[in-house]
Amino acid sequence: MSRNYLTLPTLSLRFIPVWRRNYLVWKKLAIPAILGNLADPMLYMLGLGYGLGSLMPSVAGVPYIAFLAAGTVCYSTMNSATFEVLYSGFSRMHVQKTWDAILNTPLTLDDVVLGELVWASTKSLLSGIAILVIIWALQLQASFWLSLWIIPVVVLIGFCFSGMGLVMNAVSPSYDFFLYYFTLVITPMVLLCGVFFPVSQMPAILQNIAAFLPLTHAINLVRPLMLGHIPTQAWLHVMVLIAYGAAGFYIALGLTRKRLLS
Amino acid sequence: MSVLSAQHLRKSYGDQAVVDGVNLAIEKGQCFGILGPNGAGKTTTLRLLLGLIAPDSGQIQMFGHAIPQQAREVRQRVGVVPQLDNLDPDFSVIENFMVYGRYFGLSKTEIAQRIPALLDFAGLSNRADAKIQDLSGGMKRRLTLARALVNDPDLIFLDEPTTGLDPQARHLMWQGLRRLLNQGKTIILTTHFMEEAERLCDRLVILDHGRLIAEGAPRELIAQHIEPCVTELYGENIAHWRDSFAAQLCARHENVGETLFCYSSDGAALMQNLHTQTHLRFLHRPASLEDVFLKLTGRELRD
Ligand SMILES: Nc1ncnc2c1ncn2[C@@H]1O[C@H](COP(=O)(O)OP(=O)(O)OP(=O)(O)O)[C@@H](O)[C@H]1O
Ligand SMILES: [Mg+2]
């Protein structure tokens, strides 16, 4: 009779109060939060873009800062989603026991984890848009109308990395554990997936590895849109992001059920 | 019909049977107590009854619904005060009610209407905008109870509601619980305070190593297991006194460290004798639930 932890998630709109709870907390400190999240990627983009960019004629046929802009949107969205589910999510689940309190109400763990997923995606969308606003202000995009398509892609990126991060949250004994995820997953992706330089500059073996990493697919969608082209193989990249996010969510839910409901 | 009943509940972690064949039936309007030493399985039993974890075997019905299958529907009518406070530290007192009420699907106006009465119940009317971190332990506990009432539940679960509270705070909590019972609500609580169980509970069970070892009304249990009077004797010559008088004056006696516990049906003869023994200190009192508890669960530490 013991519960099967791997039954499919029950998705319903009951996740909204969970989302709303996180939104209300965020709203209290919204402006400093946005500025804080923006500062780091913006400084990288401007510092490297103009500083390093001035030493280079062009990268992939465009000024370096325009090249870097797409990468910055992607990695800043990824970071925002990841930090939210890892540190803030863990604090709500494990430290403050907010999830336990919610589980005593008619909401289920499926609702809670879905609420966290949607919330982290929302928050990372705000981060992505904040960077886009800077990019638009600096006119780094080739076509404004085409660059608007980056917004739905940012939603996908947020979903993808929120789902993946929730797995770490489910298995982590403490905050320290998240360092492994950053060292072994996030940082390598930032360096290998084409944020700072084209993937084609790397040896074949690294290119092959990069082809499997979700950030590569995010960048393969955002960079063309930024530089004024329609992405090639767009559906493949979209499916990869969805697959990583959905698999992450499903595995995370199974592991969290085992962690909290056994 | 019982509000809540369970048959043959079992739950093991590894090869430790934490809940081992528990049967319960709780009637509407009752205050039902679960007593037991640390690690006896009280919290696990509550989690099973709430449908948070699935039993290895056994059945549970709450308001006629099967648990855990229909736990979500049933929890609409249930309030929970967990063993450890989990108030939301990111919000003020009033916001805690707002946010928690939303989890039950209540609208903003419904919750807002209930808040003054809830604040009053918790004795926090003048702390509505306080941060959780600024509340005392007793205030947090009362707020946790008031928060559990936001959906106007018919059945309230309390896991050690008064642990860590000072006597004033504890008495306030008891008054609150009595008010709820007077309103016709059903309460199920765990506690380590025998006095609390004796005062509040209509019926109770004692749980040890996951098994029910006693069940009944507090007075019944005392009458059933312990002689009416207990005399505790302390002093250097207890052994001597015991050897000379215990068999004759006590129905039953036991040595615990430096203390001799003497159980008797009225104690008049014993008192007469003790007033002549100036070298002994003693305390004469009616038998209590604590005596029952210690008799049934033993005096050894559990963890
Ligand atoms: N998720 C779990 N995994 C493994 N063991 C557990 C788990 N939950 C409880 N236990 C064990 O089950 C036993 C009973 O725990 P429980 O919390 O139900 O006791 P309790 O009667 O509430 O104790 P206390 O009075 O200390 O609160 C303990 O030995 C505990 O270590
Ligand atoms: Mg307990």
Side-chain angles (χ1 to χ4, degrees), chain A residues 202-260:
Chain A
M202 296 189 301
I205 172 140
L206 291 180
Q207 290 192 35
N208 288 334
I209 293 175
F212 286 96
L213 301 175
L215 190 63
T216 307
H217 296 271
I219 290 175
N220 284 343
L221 288 168
V222 173
R223 184 157 288 138
L225 291 170
M226 189 70 80
L227 301 181
H229 326 293
I230 303 214
T232 50
Q233 291 186 303
W235 283 109
L236 169 73
H237 304 310
V238 167
M239 292 317 289
V240 170
L241 292 177
I242 292 179
Y244 267 101
F249 175 67
Y250 176 63
I251 295 168
L253 186 58
L255 291 169
T256 315
R257 282 173 181 159
K258 193 159 156 42
R259 177 175 185 149
L260 297 183

Short mmCIF file of all heavy atoms in Angstrom, two decimals, chain A residues 202-260:
data_model
loop_
_atom_site.label_atom_id
_atom_site.label_comp_id
_atom_site.label_asym_id
_atom_site.label_seq_id
_atom_site.Cartn_x
_atom_site.Cartn_y
_atom_site.Cartn_z
N MET A 202 35.87 25.71 -30.09
CA MET A 202 36.43 24.71 -29.18
C MET A 202 36.77 23.43 -29.93
O MET A 202 36.27 23.19 -31.03
CB MET A 202 35.41 24.38 -28.09
CG MET A 202 35.08 25.56 -27.18
SD MET A 202 34.09 25.05 -25.77
CE MET A 202 32.67 24.34 -26.57
N PRO A 203 37.64 22.58 -29.33
CA PRO A 203 37.93 21.28 -29.94
C PRO A 203 36.65 20.45 -30.12
O PRO A 203 35.67 20.66 -29.38
CB PRO A 203 38.85 20.58 -28.92
CG PRO A 203 39.23 21.59 -27.92
CD PRO A 203 38.37 22.79 -28.07
N ALA A 204 36.69 19.53 -31.06
CA ALA A 204 35.48 18.78 -31.42
C ALA A 204 34.86 18.09 -30.22
O ALA A 204 33.63 18.10 -30.06
CB ALA A 204 35.84 17.74 -32.49
N ILE A 205 35.69 17.53 -29.36
CA ILE A 205 35.12 16.78 -28.24
C ILE A 205 34.28 17.68 -27.34
O ILE A 205 33.17 17.33 -26.93
CB ILE A 205 36.21 16.04 -27.45
CG1 ILE A 205 35.61 15.43 -26.18
CG2 ILE A 205 37.36 16.94 -27.04
CD1 ILE A 205 36.14 14.09 -25.87
N LEU A 206 34.79 18.89 -27.09
CA LEU A 206 34.02 19.82 -26.25
C LEU A 206 32.75 20.29 -26.97
O LEU A 206 31.71 20.50 -26.35
CB LEU A 206 34.89 21.01 -25.84
CG LEU A 206 36.02 20.68 -24.85
CD1 LEU A 206 36.81 21.93 -24.50
CD2 LEU A 206 35.46 20.04 -23.58
N GLN A 207 32.87 20.43 -28.29
CA GLN A 207 31.67 20.82 -29.05
C GLN A 207 30.59 19.75 -28.92
O GLN A 207 29.40 20.05 -28.81
CB GLN A 207 32.02 21.00 -30.53
CG GLN A 207 32.87 22.22 -30.78
CD GLN A 207 32.96 22.54 -32.27
OE1 GLN A 207 31.99 22.35 -33.01
NE2 GLN A 207 34.11 23.04 -32.71
N ASN A 208 31.04 18.48 -28.95
CA ASN A 208 30.07 17.39 -28.82
C ASN A 208 29.41 17.39 -27.46
O ASN A 208 28.21 17.15 -27.34
CB ASN A 208 30.75 16.04 -29.07
CG ASN A 208 31.09 15.87 -30.54
OD1 ASN A 208 30.44 16.47 -31.40
ND2 ASN A 208 32.12 15.09 -30.82
N ILE A 209 30.21 17.65 -26.45
CA ILE A 209 29.62 17.71 -25.10
C ILE A 209 28.62 18.86 -25.04
O ILE A 209 27.49 18.71 -24.56
CB ILE A 209 30.72 17.89 -24.03
CG1 ILE A 209 31.59 16.63 -23.98
CG2 ILE A 209 30.11 18.17 -22.66
CD1 ILE A 209 32.78 16.73 -23.06
N ALA A 210 29.03 20.00 -25.55
CA ALA A 210 28.17 21.19 -25.49
C ALA A 210 26.83 20.94 -26.16
O ALA A 210 25.79 21.47 -25.73
CB ALA A 210 28.87 22.38 -26.12
N ALA A 211 26.84 20.10 -27.21
CA ALA A 211 25.60 19.86 -27.96
C ALA A 211 24.52 19.23 -27.07
O ALA A 211 23.33 19.33 -27.37
CB ALA A 211 25.88 18.97 -29.16
N PHE A 212 24.96 18.58 -25.99
CA PHE A 212 23.99 17.93 -25.11
C PHE A 212 23.51 18.85 -23.97
O PHE A 212 22.60 18.49 -23.25
CB PHE A 212 24.59 16.66 -24.49
CG PHE A 212 24.68 15.55 -25.47
CD1 PHE A 212 25.86 15.30 -26.16
CD2 PHE A 212 23.57 14.75 -25.73
CE1 PHE A 212 25.94 14.28 -27.09
CE2 PHE A 212 23.64 13.73 -26.66
CZ PHE A 212 24.82 13.49 -27.35
N LEU A 213 24.16 19.99 -23.82
CA LEU A 213 23.84 20.82 -22.66
C LEU A 213 22.72 21.82 -22.99
O LEU A 213 22.71 22.41 -24.07
CB LEU A 213 25.10 21.57 -22.20
CG LEU A 213 26.27 20.65 -21.82
CD1 LEU A 213 27.51 21.45 -21.49
CD2 LEU A 213 25.88 19.76 -20.64
N PRO A 214 21.78 22.00 -22.07
CA PRO A 214 20.62 22.83 -22.39
C PRO A 214 20.97 24.29 -22.69
O PRO A 214 20.32 24.92 -23.52
CB PRO A 214 19.74 22.73 -21.13
CG PRO A 214 20.62 22.19 -20.06
CD PRO A 214 21.68 21.40 -20.73
N LEU A 215 22.01 24.82 -22.05
CA LEU A 215 22.32 26.23 -22.28
C LEU A 215 22.71 26.48 -23.74
O LEU A 215 22.42 27.54 -24.30
CB LEU A 215 23.42 26.71 -21.32
CG LEU A 215 23.65 28.23 -21.31
CD1 LEU A 215 22.42 28.97 -20.80
CD2 LEU A 215 24.85 28.60 -20.43
N THR A 216 23.36 25.49 -24.36
CA THR A 216 23.71 25.62 -25.78
C THR A 216 22.46 25.85 -26.61
O THR A 216 22.42 26.70 -27.51
CB THR A 216 24.38 24.31 -26.26
OG1 THR A 216 25.46 24.02 -25.39
CG2 THR A 216 24.89 24.45 -27.69
N HIS A 217 21.43 25.08 -26.30
CA HIS A 217 20.19 25.18 -27.08
C HIS A 217 19.49 26.50 -26.81
O HIS A 217 18.89 27.09 -27.72
CB HIS A 217 19.30 23.98 -26.77
CG HIS A 217 19.94 22.70 -27.21
ND1 HIS A 217 19.77 22.18 -28.46
CD2 HIS A 217 20.79 21.87 -26.56
CE1 HIS A 217 20.49 21.06 -28.57
NE2 HIS A 217 21.12 20.86 -27.43
N ALA A 218 19.58 26.98 -25.58
CA ALA A 218 19.00 28.29 -25.27
C ALA A 218 19.70 29.36 -26.11
O ALA A 218 19.06 30.22 -26.73
CB ALA A 218 19.17 28.58 -23.78
N ILE A 219 21.02 29.28 -26.15
CA ILE A 219 21.79 30.30 -26.88
C ILE A 219 21.56 30.18 -28.39
O ILE A 219 21.47 31.20 -29.09
CB ILE A 219 23.28 30.19 -26.51
CG1 ILE A 219 23.44 30.66 -25.05
CG2 ILE A 219 24.16 31.00 -27.44
CD1 ILE A 219 24.82 30.51 -24.49
N ASN A 220 21.39 28.94 -28.86
CA ASN A 220 21.11 28.76 -30.28
C ASN A 220 19.77 29.36 -30.71
O ASN A 220 19.53 29.58 -31.88
CB ASN A 220 21.14 27.27 -30.64
CG ASN A 220 22.56 26.76 -30.72
OD1 ASN A 220 23.51 27.56 -30.82
ND2 ASN A 220 22.73 25.45 -30.66
N LEU A 221 18.90 29.58 -29.75
CA LEU A 221 17.64 30.27 -30.06
C LEU A 221 17.78 31.78 -29.91
O LEU A 221 17.33 32.55 -30.76
CB LEU A 221 16.53 29.77 -29.12
CG LEU A 221 16.00 28.36 -29.37
CD1 LEU A 221 15.13 27.91 -28.21
CD2 LEU A 221 15.20 28.31 -30.67
N VAL A 222 18.42 32.20 -28.83
CA VAL A 222 18.42 33.64 -28.50
C VAL A 222 19.39 34.41 -29.41
O VAL A 222 19.08 35.52 -29.85
CB VAL A 222 18.75 33.85 -27.01
CG1 VAL A 222 18.92 35.34 -26.71
CG2 VAL A 222 17.66 33.26 -26.14
N ARG A 223 20.55 33.82 -29.71
CA ARG A 223 21.54 34.61 -30.45
C ARG A 223 21.07 35.00 -31.85
O ARG A 223 21.15 36.18 -32.21
CB ARG A 223 22.91 33.89 -30.49
CG ARG A 223 23.98 34.75 -31.16
CD ARG A 223 25.38 34.37 -30.76
NE ARG A 223 25.69 34.75 -29.39
CZ ARG A 223 26.35 33.97 -28.53
NH1 ARG A 223 26.74 32.77 -28.88
NH2 ARG A 223 26.59 34.41 -27.33
N PRO A 224 20.53 34.05 -32.63
CA PRO A 224 20.00 34.48 -33.93
C PRO A 224 18.93 35.56 -33.80
O PRO A 224 18.94 36.54 -34.54
CB PRO A 224 19.42 33.21 -34.54
CG PRO A 224 20.02 32.09 -33.79
CD PRO A 224 20.43 32.60 -32.45
N LEU A 225 18.04 35.39 -32.83
CA LEU A 225 16.97 36.38 -32.67
C LEU A 225 17.55 37.75 -32.34
O LEU A 225 17.04 38.78 -32.78
CB LEU A 225 16.01 35.94 -31.56
CG LEU A 225 15.15 34.71 -31.89
CD1 LEU A 225 14.42 34.20 -30.64
CD2 LEU A 225 14.14 35.02 -33.00
N MET A 226 18.64 37.75 -31.59
CA MET A 226 19.28 39.01 -31.23
C MET A 226 19.96 39.64 -32.45
O MET A 226 19.97 40.85 -32.63
CB MET A 226 20.32 38.74 -30.14
CG MET A 226 20.93 39.96 -29.52
SD MET A 226 19.73 40.83 -28.50
CE MET A 226 19.77 39.85 -27.00
N LEU A 227 20.53 38.75 -33.30
CA LEU A 227 21.32 39.27 -34.42
C LEU A 227 20.48 39.39 -35.70
O LEU A 227 21.02 39.62 -36.78
CB LEU A 227 22.53 38.35 -34.67
CG LEU A 227 23.47 38.23 -33.44
CD1 LEU A 227 24.66 37.34 -33.76
CD2 LEU A 227 23.93 39.60 -32.94
N GLY A 228 19.17 39.18 -35.56
CA GLY A 228 18.29 39.47 -36.68
C GLY A 228 18.01 38.32 -37.62
O GLY A 228 17.56 38.53 -38.74
N HIS A 229 18.27 37.07 -37.19
CA HIS A 229 17.90 35.92 -38.03
C HIS A 229 16.85 35.08 -37.33
O HIS A 229 16.72 35.12 -36.11
CB HIS A 229 19.08 34.99 -38.31
CG HIS A 229 20.39 35.67 -38.43
ND1 HIS A 229 20.67 36.53 -39.46
CD2 HIS A 229 21.49 35.63 -37.64
CE1 HIS A 229 21.90 36.99 -39.31
NE2 HIS A 229 22.41 36.48 -38.21
N ILE A 230 16.21 34.25 -38.15
CA ILE A 230 15.33 33.24 -37.57
C ILE A 230 16.21 32.04 -37.21
O ILE A 230 17.01 31.60 -38.04
CB ILE A 230 14.25 32.85 -38.59
CG1 ILE A 230 13.54 34.15 -38.96
CG2 ILE A 230 13.34 31.76 -38.04
CD1 ILE A 230 12.12 34.09 -39.26
N PRO A 231 16.10 31.50 -35.99
CA PRO A 231 16.97 30.39 -35.59
C PRO A 231 16.74 29.17 -36.49
O PRO A 231 15.60 28.90 -36.90
CB PRO A 231 16.54 30.07 -34.16
CG PRO A 231 15.75 31.24 -33.71
CD PRO A 231 15.18 31.91 -34.93
N THR A 232 17.82 28.45 -36.79
CA THR A 232 17.65 27.20 -37.51
C THR A 232 17.38 26.09 -36.50
O THR A 232 17.82 26.17 -35.34
CB THR A 232 18.92 26.84 -38.31
OG1 THR A 232 20.02 26.93 -37.42
CG2 THR A 232 19.12 27.79 -39.48
N GLN A 233 16.67 25.09 -36.94
CA GLN A 233 16.32 23.94 -36.08
C GLN A 233 15.67 24.41 -34.77
O GLN A 233 15.92 23.86 -33.69
CB GLN A 233 17.56 23.12 -35.74
CG GLN A 233 18.12 22.39 -36.93
CD GLN A 233 19.26 21.47 -36.50
OE1 GLN A 233 20.24 21.94 -35.90
NE2 GLN A 233 19.14 20.20 -36.78
N ALA A 234 14.85 25.44 -34.88
CA ALA A 234 14.28 26.04 -33.66
C ALA A 234 13.52 25.01 -32.82
O ALA A 234 13.66 24.98 -31.60
CB ALA A 234 13.34 27.18 -34.04
N TRP A 235 12.77 24.12 -33.49
CA TRP A 235 11.96 23.17 -32.71
C TRP A 235 12.81 22.20 -31.93
O TRP A 235 12.46 21.84 -30.80
CB TRP A 235 10.97 22.43 -33.62
CG TRP A 235 9.84 23.33 -33.94
CD1 TRP A 235 9.56 23.91 -35.14
CD2 TRP A 235 8.87 23.83 -33.01
NE1 TRP A 235 8.48 24.74 -35.03
CE2 TRP A 235 8.03 24.71 -33.73
CE3 TRP A 235 8.63 23.62 -31.65
CZ2 TRP A 235 6.97 25.38 -33.13
CZ3 TRP A 235 7.58 24.28 -31.06
CH2 TRP A 235 6.76 25.16 -31.80
N LEU A 236 13.93 21.82 -32.51
CA LEU A 236 14.83 20.93 -31.77
C LEU A 236 15.25 21.60 -30.46
O LEU A 236 15.16 21.00 -29.38
CB LEU A 236 16.06 20.62 -32.63
CG LEU A 236 17.17 19.91 -31.85
CD1 LEU A 236 16.79 18.46 -31.56
CD2 LEU A 236 18.50 19.98 -32.59
N HIS A 237 15.68 22.87 -30.57
CA HIS A 237 16.16 23.55 -29.36
C HIS A 237 15.04 23.73 -28.34
O HIS A 237 15.24 23.54 -27.14
CB HIS A 237 16.75 24.92 -29.74
CG HIS A 237 17.83 24.82 -30.76
ND1 HIS A 237 18.89 23.95 -30.64
CD2 HIS A 237 18.03 25.49 -31.94
CE1 HIS A 237 19.68 24.08 -31.70
NE2 HIS A 237 19.18 25.00 -32.51
N VAL A 238 13.86 24.07 -28.83
CA VAL A 238 12.71 24.22 -27.93
C VAL A 238 12.42 22.90 -27.21
O VAL A 238 12.25 22.86 -25.99
CB VAL A 238 11.46 24.69 -28.72
CG1 VAL A 238 10.21 24.56 -27.88
CG2 VAL A 238 11.65 26.13 -29.20
N MET A 239 12.45 21.81 -27.98
CA MET A 239 12.13 20.51 -27.38
C MET A 239 13.18 20.11 -26.34
O MET A 239 12.85 19.53 -25.31
CB MET A 239 12.03 19.41 -28.45
CG MET A 239 10.84 19.52 -29.40
SD MET A 239 9.29 19.95 -28.60
CE MET A 239 8.95 18.44 -27.73
N VAL A 240 14.44 20.43 -26.62
CA VAL A 240 15.48 20.07 -25.66
C VAL A 240 15.26 20.82 -24.34
O VAL A 240 15.32 20.24 -23.25
CB VAL A 240 16.89 20.37 -26.22
CG1 VAL A 240 17.95 20.23 -25.12
CG2 VAL A 240 17.21 19.42 -27.37
N LEU A 241 14.96 22.10 -24.43
CA LEU A 241 14.73 22.89 -23.20
C LEU A 241 13.53 22.34 -22.43
O LEU A 241 13.56 22.20 -21.21
CB LEU A 241 14.51 24.37 -23.55
CG LEU A 241 15.74 25.10 -24.10
CD1 LEU A 241 15.38 26.54 -24.47
CD2 LEU A 241 16.88 25.10 -23.09
N ILE A 242 12.45 22.03 -23.17
CA ILE A 242 11.26 21.49 -22.51
C ILE A 242 11.58 20.13 -21.88
O ILE A 242 11.19 19.85 -20.74
CB ILE A 242 10.09 21.36 -23.50
CG1 ILE A 242 9.62 22.76 -23.91
CG2 ILE A 242 8.94 20.57 -22.90
CD1 ILE A 242 8.48 22.76 -24.91
N ALA A 243 12.33 19.32 -22.62
CA ALA A 243 12.63 17.98 -22.11
C ALA A 243 13.45 18.06 -20.82
O ALA A 243 13.14 17.37 -19.84
CB ALA A 243 13.38 17.18 -23.17
N TYR A 244 14.48 18.90 -20.81
CA TYR A 244 15.28 19.02 -19.59
C TYR A 244 14.42 19.51 -18.42
O TYR A 244 14.51 19.00 -17.30
CB TYR A 244 16.45 19.98 -19.80
CG TYR A 244 17.74 19.31 -20.24
CD1 TYR A 244 18.14 19.32 -21.57
CD2 TYR A 244 18.54 18.66 -19.31
CE1 TYR A 244 19.32 18.70 -21.97
CE2 TYR A 244 19.73 18.04 -19.70
CZ TYR A 244 20.12 18.07 -21.03
OH TYR A 244 21.28 17.45 -21.41
N GLY A 245 13.61 20.52 -18.68
CA GLY A 245 12.78 21.09 -17.62
C GLY A 245 11.75 20.09 -17.11
O GLY A 245 11.58 19.92 -15.90
N ALA A 246 11.09 19.39 -18.04
CA ALA A 246 10.03 18.46 -17.64
C ALA A 246 10.62 17.26 -16.91
O ALA A 246 10.10 16.83 -15.88
CB ALA A 246 9.24 18.00 -18.87
N ALA A 247 11.74 16.74 -17.45
CA ALA A 247 12.37 15.60 -16.78
C ALA A 247 12.83 16.02 -15.39
O ALA A 247 12.64 15.29 -14.40
CB ALA A 247 13.55 15.09 -17.60
N GLY A 248 13.41 17.20 -15.29
CA GLY A 248 13.85 17.70 -13.98
C GLY A 248 12.68 17.80 -13.02
O GLY A 248 12.76 17.31 -11.88
N PHE A 249 11.59 18.37 -13.47
CA PHE A 249 10.42 18.54 -12.60
C PHE A 249 9.90 17.18 -12.12
O PHE A 249 9.63 16.98 -10.93
CB PHE A 249 9.32 19.29 -13.35
CG PHE A 249 8.04 19.42 -12.58
CD1 PHE A 249 7.98 20.20 -11.44
CD2 PHE A 249 6.90 18.75 -13.00
CE1 PHE A 249 6.80 20.32 -10.72
CE2 PHE A 249 5.71 18.87 -12.28
CZ PHE A 249 5.66 19.66 -11.14
N TYR A 250 9.82 16.25 -13.04
CA TYR A 250 9.28 14.92 -12.71
C TYR A 250 10.18 14.19 -11.70
O TYR A 250 9.72 13.65 -10.69
CB TYR A 250 9.12 14.13 -13.99
CG TYR A 250 8.66 12.70 -13.79
CD1 TYR A 250 7.42 12.43 -13.23
CD2 TYR A 250 9.48 11.64 -14.15
CE1 TYR A 250 7.00 11.13 -13.05
CE2 TYR A 250 9.06 10.33 -13.98
CZ TYR A 250 7.82 10.08 -13.41
OH TYR A 250 7.42 8.80 -13.22
N ILE A 251 11.48 14.22 -11.97
CA ILE A 251 12.42 13.55 -11.06
C ILE A 251 12.41 14.26 -9.71
O ILE A 251 12.38 13.63 -8.65
CB ILE A 251 13.84 13.55 -11.67
CG1 ILE A 251 13.85 12.70 -12.94
CG2 ILE A 251 14.86 13.02 -10.66
CD1 ILE A 251 15.12 12.84 -13.77
N ALA A 252 12.42 15.59 -9.75
CA ALA A 252 12.43 16.36 -8.50
C ALA A 252 11.20 16.05 -7.67
O ALA A 252 11.28 15.88 -6.45
CB ALA A 252 12.50 17.85 -8.80
N LEU A 253 10.04 15.95 -8.32
CA LEU A 253 8.81 15.68 -7.58
C LEU A 253 8.88 14.30 -6.93
O LEU A 253 8.53 14.15 -5.75
CB LEU A 253 7.61 15.79 -8.52
CG LEU A 253 6.25 15.68 -7.86
CD1 LEU A 253 6.07 16.77 -6.81
CD2 LEU A 253 5.15 15.78 -8.90
N GLY A 254 9.35 13.31 -7.68
CA GLY A 254 9.49 11.97 -7.11
C GLY A 254 10.39 11.98 -5.89
O GLY A 254 10.07 11.42 -4.84
N LEU A 255 11.54 12.64 -6.02
CA LEU A 255 12.51 12.66 -4.92
C LEU A 255 11.97 13.46 -3.73
O LEU A 255 12.21 13.10 -2.58
CB LEU A 255 13.83 13.26 -5.40
CG LEU A 255 14.62 12.42 -6.41
CD1 LEU A 255 15.76 13.24 -7.00
CD2 LEU A 255 15.16 11.16 -5.74
N THR A 256 11.25 14.54 -4.02
CA THR A 256 10.72 15.35 -2.92
C THR A 256 9.59 14.62 -2.21
O THR A 256 9.45 14.70 -0.99
CB THR A 256 10.24 16.72 -3.44
OG1 THR A 256 11.21 17.24 -4.33
CG2 THR A 256 10.05 17.69 -2.30
N ARG A 257 8.77 13.87 -2.97
CA ARG A 257 7.73 13.07 -2.33
C ARG A 257 8.38 12.09 -1.36
O ARG A 257 7.93 11.91 -0.23
CB ARG A 257 6.96 12.28 -3.38
CG ARG A 257 5.93 13.09 -4.16
CD ARG A 257 5.38 12.22 -5.25
NE ARG A 257 4.39 12.85 -6.10
CZ ARG A 257 4.09 12.41 -7.31
NH1 ARG A 257 4.71 11.36 -7.81
NH2 ARG A 257 3.18 13.02 -8.03
N LYS A 258 9.45 11.47 -1.82
CA LYS A 258 10.14 10.49 -0.97
C LYS A 258 10.72 11.19 0.26
O LYS A 258 10.66 10.66 1.37
CB LYS A 258 11.25 9.83 -1.78
CG LYS A 258 11.82 8.59 -1.14
CD LYS A 258 12.49 7.77 -2.23
CE LYS A 258 13.58 6.84 -1.77
NZ LYS A 258 13.40 6.09 -0.59
N ARG A 259 11.23 12.39 0.04
CA ARG A 259 11.88 13.09 1.14
C ARG A 259 10.88 13.55 2.20
O ARG A 259 11.11 13.42 3.40
CB ARG A 259 12.63 14.30 0.59
CG ARG A 259 13.28 15.16 1.66
CD ARG A 259 14.12 16.27 1.03
NE ARG A 259 14.82 16.99 2.07
CZ ARG A 259 16.02 17.57 1.90
NH1 ARG A 259 16.62 17.50 0.72
NH2 ARG A 259 16.59 18.21 2.89
N LEU A 260 9.75 14.10 1.76
CA LEU A 260 8.84 14.74 2.71
C LEU A 260 7.64 13.89 3.09
O LEU A 260 7.02 14.13 4.11
CB LEU A 260 8.32 16.07 2.14
CG LEU A 260 9.37 17.15 1.89
CD1 LEU A 260 8.70 18.41 1.38
CD2 LEU A 260 10.16 17.44 3.15
#
